[in-house]
Amino acid sequence: MVIFVDMDEVIADTYGAHIEIYNKQFSENLTLELCNGNEVWRMVPPERQQSVRDHARNRGFFRNLKPIKNAQVVLRKLNEKHEVYIASAAMQFPNSLEEKSDWLDEHLSFIPWQNRILCGHKHILLGDVLIDDRSYNLEKFDGRTLLFTSPHNIRTTGFERANNWLEVADKLL
Amino acid sequence: MVIFVDMDEVIADTYGAHIEIYNKQFSENLTLELCNGNEVWRMVPPERQQSVRDHARNRGFFRNLKPIKNAQVVLRKLNEKHEVYIASAAMQFPNSLEEKSDWLDEHLSFIPWQNRILCGHKHILLGDVLIDDRSYNLEKFDGRTLLFTSPHNIRTTGFERANNWLEVADKLL
């Protein structure tokens, strides 16, 4: 089975990093719980929204993301049983490309370069499963889709959902 | 029609750059014609082969490649008629990733980030046509394949071939 796995908010904690950077910069106390159901940048005052949206353009942002809980251990097992590819819509942020490659070298070194994809549209991927936090990626994928739960998508309906990596293991191992 | 187009030796002149850098470094007169039928690094004395193979790891190598003749004008027309994606097996060289994005911004700015793919294996691409200079990429692609002629592949048989971009235009426009 060929399985494609998104990076941001599925294996790398982008959302948490946005909150951490925002809280530090503005001495605030935003939390994941407060953000539930929303994009993080919508949860800050209008005059600070662009600052949050620009985090992703800062050098180092993607390189320093924390892995999502249990992603590494479950992906290692998935990779023994299936053909696993990491597929990130990273081309939007050219500064992220090498950082994402380095991040994978550090945190998921068992996924070789041949199985890493930095792309835009994901409907050009040919395989069996796509795990992603964005419904617009899942909608057009020709295969089984798993919506990985992230604060911004908790109100999204109509997709098979994995709330965490242990649930992914239950479904695919 | 969804068309995937490789970068190195199809739209960007990697082979010519290898020869240019080698000739400059060693004061030699290697030419494309002398290399016909071979990988460029095989055409230099054994003690210099690693130096040539390492070109691709040097910062700036991919950013400064010249476009292949007529690639831009034909791709612009193809892009008006079809869904064109650039697909480069760039993950092998992390230093190349941002350079390739910048190169596309300069030379093929009409291909948006959503239609750019930096990957490894290409058999995970879902579409109608793959234009590539490497037979191992074409062999596993599920669709029509065009072997784009490069000095290293002129002896390869068994594939529909495009010798240049005007031939691609004849076939796909």
Side-chain angles (χ1 to χ4, degrees):
Chain A
M1 207 157 67
V2 171
I3 302 172
F4 299 106
V5 182
D6 179 35
M7 282 186 82
D8 295 320
E9 297 171 51
V10 176
I11 60 176
D13 185 9
T14 325
Y15 210 103
H18 281 302
I19 289 179
E20 199 177 311
I21 294 167
Y22 173 76
N23 282 343
K24 203 166 175 180
Q25 185 178 356
F26 295 103
S27 301
E28 290 286 357
N29 292 295
L30 196 60
T31 64
L32 278 179
E33 293 67 32
L34 285 169
C35 294
N36 262 347
N38 291 287
E39 302 295 336
V40 61
W41 61 268
R42 289 192 190 277
M43 299 308 293
V44 307
E47 68 275 16
R48 297 175 177 175
Q49 291 183 352
Q50 195 56 49
S51 157
V52 172
R53 301 190 80 163
D54 286 344
H55 288 166
R57 302 191 182 278
N58 293 339
R59 296 273 167 192
F61 178 77
F62 290 97
R63 181 66 187 86
N64 297 315
L65 297 176
K66 297 188 182 92
I68 296 278
K69 192 176 178 186
N70 294 317
Q72 291 153 295
V73 60
V74 174
L75 275 167
R76 186 181 287 276
K77 287 184 186 167
L78 275 179
N79 193 49
E80 286 164 7
K81 196 170 169 185
H82 302 292
E83 207 178 323
V84 173
Y85 290 81
I86 306 299
S88 173
M91 299 307 295
Q92 187 177 7
F93 301 109
N95 59 293
S96 77
L97 302 172
E98 189 167 348
E99 293 188 19
K100 287 185 177 237
S101 171
D102 291 344
W103 193 95
L104 291 170
D105 284 345
E106 179 182 347
H107 297 290
L108 296 172
S109 58
F110 53 88
I111 306 282
W113 68 263
Q114 290 89 342
N115 290 45
R116 301 175 182 186
I117 306 159
L118 303 176
C119 59
H121 292 311
K122 294 190 180 175
H123 57 266
I124 50 80
L125 296 173
L126 173 65
D128 303 294
V129 181
L130 173 60
I131 306 173
D132 207 292
D133 67 303
R134 295 286 170 186
S135 54
Y136 57 76
N137 286 325
L138 302 178
E139 272 161 9
K140 294 184 177 177
F141 179 74
D142 187 14
R144 180 177 177 186
T145 58
L146 289 179
L147 181 67
F148 195 89
T149 297
S150 170
H152 72 79
N153 70 25
I154 59 164
R155 292 195 201 116
T156 304
T157 56
F159 294 91
E160 183 181 4
R161 190 180 275 276
N163 287 303
N164 53 57
W165 274 96
L166 299 181
E167 288 190 17
V168 175
D170 280 346
K171 289 170 188 288
L172 301 179
L173 279 175
Chain B
M1 208 157 66
V2 171
I3 302 174
F4 299 105
V5 182
D6 180 35
M7 280 186 83
D8 296 319
E9 297 171 53
V10 176
I11 60 175
D13 186 9
T14 324
Y15 210 104
H18 281 302
I19 290 179
E20 198 178 312
I21 294 167
Y22 174 76
N23 283 343
K24 202 167 176 179
Q25 185 177 356
F26 295 104
S27 300
E28 291 284 0
N29 293 294
L30 195 61
T31 64
L32 278 179
E33 292 68 29
L34 285 168
C35 293
N36 262 349
N38 292 287
E39 302 295 335
V40 61
W41 60 270
R42 289 193 190 277
M43 299 308 295
V44 307
E47 69 275 15
R48 296 175 178 175
Q49 291 183 351
Q50 194 57 50
S51 157
V52 172
R53 301 190 80 164
D54 286 345
H55 288 166
R57 301 190 184 279
N58 293 338
R59 296 272 167 193
F61 178 77
F62 289 97
R63 181 64 187 88
N64 297 315
L65 297 176
K66 296 188 182 91
I68 296 278
K69 193 175 177 185
N70 294 318
Q72 293 153 294
V73 59
V74 175
L75 275 167
R76 187 181 287 274
K77 285 184 188 167
L78 275 179
N79 193 50
E80 286 164 7
K81 196 170 170 186
H82 303 293
E83 207 178 322
V84 173
Y85 290 82
I86 307 299
S88 173
M91 299 308 295
Q92 186 176 7
F93 301 110
N95 59 294
S96 77
L97 302 172
E98 190 167 349
E99 293 187 18
K100 286 185 177 237
S101 170
D102 290 343
W103 193 95
L104 291 169
D105 284 344
E106 180 183 348
H107 297 289
L108 296 171
S109 58
F110 53 88
I111 306 282
W113 68 264
Q114 290 90 343
N115 289 45
R116 301 176 182 185
I117 306 160
L118 303 176
C119 61
H121 292 312
K122 293 190 182 176
H123 57 266
I124 49 79
L125 296 174
L126 174 64
D128 302 293
V129 181
L130 173 61
I131 306 174
D132 207 293
D133 66 303
R134 297 284 170 185
S135 55
Y136 56 75
N137 285 327
L138 301 178
E139 272 162 6
K140 294 184 176 175
F141 180 73
D142 188 14
R144 181 177 178 185
T145 58
L146 289 179
L147 182 67
F148 195 89
T149 296
S150 169
H152 72 79
N153 71 24
I154 59 164
R155 292 196 200 114
T156 304
T157 55
F159 294 91
E160 183 182 5
R161 192 181 273 277
N163 287 302
N164 53 58
W165 274 96
L166 298 181
E167 287 191 16
V168 175
D170 280 347
K171 289 170 187 288
L172 302 179
L173 278 175

